Amino acid sequence: MGLFTTPIKNLDDLFLHTLQDIYYAEKQITKALPMMIEKAQNPALKQGFTSHLHETEQQVTRLEQVFAALNQQPKGVTCEAIDGIIKEAKQVVSDVEDPAVRDVALATSAQAVEHYEIARYGSLVALANQLGHHQVVKLLQQTLEEEKAADRKLTQISESHVNKKAA
Ligand code: FE
Ligand code: ZN
Ligand code: FE
Ligand code: FE
């Protein structure tokens, strides 16, 4: 446990911590996506990032609804994991010169983000069910499905356009 962090004593604390973690992460993602949109050359990739930015903004709002349903103030806690994934994405993208290869780097970095989110929302759905917070399961499940769809779309774009051009 860190010096300034809240102790996690039970599953409810862990659930709340994980919500705060993903709330922070979603906000960082909304800040990172404009860079991804700007750097993407492939129109399908650019469009995919743009629509996922809008979706992500709605996911932030949805998390605020989850906090409200649990009588909690929306609050974020620093997530080292998402900070690391975003930092790595920025580094890799700036190291690539060929635009077609950069598109693949953007797509693979974005998939690391989606997989992180899928892990978090998957755990949150499971914890919400276990703890009997049935009123928030649907909200969390909805975002989980969006993240899975975003991941599938990135695979599709990579396979159909981006990788071929970069090869
Ligand atoms: Fe998200
Ligand atoms: Zn995290
Ligand atoms: Fe974290
Ligand atoms: Fe996402």
Side-chain angles (χ1 to χ4, degrees):
M1 195 192 4
L3 201 51
F4 301 107
T5 53
T6 313
I8 297 167
K9 294 182 202 137
N10 52 43
L11 276 189
D12 259 302
D13 293 348
L14 182 66
F15 180 64
L16 183 61
H17 171 83
T18 309
L19 272 178
Q20 294 169 340
D21 177 279
I22 196 69
Y23 186 61
Y24 171 92
E26 293 288 14
K27 286 191 163 186
Q28 296 312 112
I29 296 165
T30 61
K31 289 183 201 165
L33 273 168
M35 174 282 282
M36 317 270 283
I37 293 165
E38 194 202 305
K39 297 272 160 115
Q41 298 289 306
N42 179 278
L45 188 62
K46 215 184 241 299
Q47 172 51 42
F49 285 151
T50 305
S51 66
H52 200 52
L53 174 57
H54 296 310
E55 228 164 34
T56 304
E57 284 161 354
Q58 287 164 5
Q59 293 171 353
V60 170
T61 306
R62 202 172 289 140
L63 282 172
E64 286 162 359
Q65 292 167 358
V66 172
F67 281 113
L70 299 167
N71 295 314
Q72 294 286 338
Q73 288 298 322
K75 178 180 163 265
V77 290
T78 304
C79 170
E80 309 279 358
I82 201 69
D83 283 347
I85 292 171
I86 291 172
K87 191 178 166 194
E88 188 181 68
K90 286 179 180 164
Q91 273 167 0
V92 171
V93 166
S94 74
D95 284 346
V96 182
E97 278 174 34
D98 183 321
V101 177
R102 195 183 305 119
D103 277 353
V104 181
L106 284 163
T108 57
S109 296
Q111 281 189 293
V113 173
E114 297 315 318
H115 286 208
Y116 174 75
E117 294 180 288
I118 290 165
R120 282 290 177 266
Y121 282 106
S123 303
L124 282 166
V125 167
L127 281 170
N129 273 316
Q130 239 176 302
L131 293 166
H133 297 312
H134 300 296
Q135 74 277 32
V136 301
V137 169
K138 265 204 185 110
L139 290 164
L140 295 168
Q141 187 80 49
Q142 194 179 344
T143 299
L144 176 62
E145 293 311 319
E146 287 176 0
E147 310 297 18
K148 285 182 183 171
D151 179 51
R152 282 194 297 269
K153 198 172 170 191
L154 283 163
T155 300
Q156 223 176 53
I157 293 168
S158 293
E159 285 174 356
S160 59
H161 314 275
V162 180
N163 287 356
K164 267 177 219 151
K165 229 186 151 187

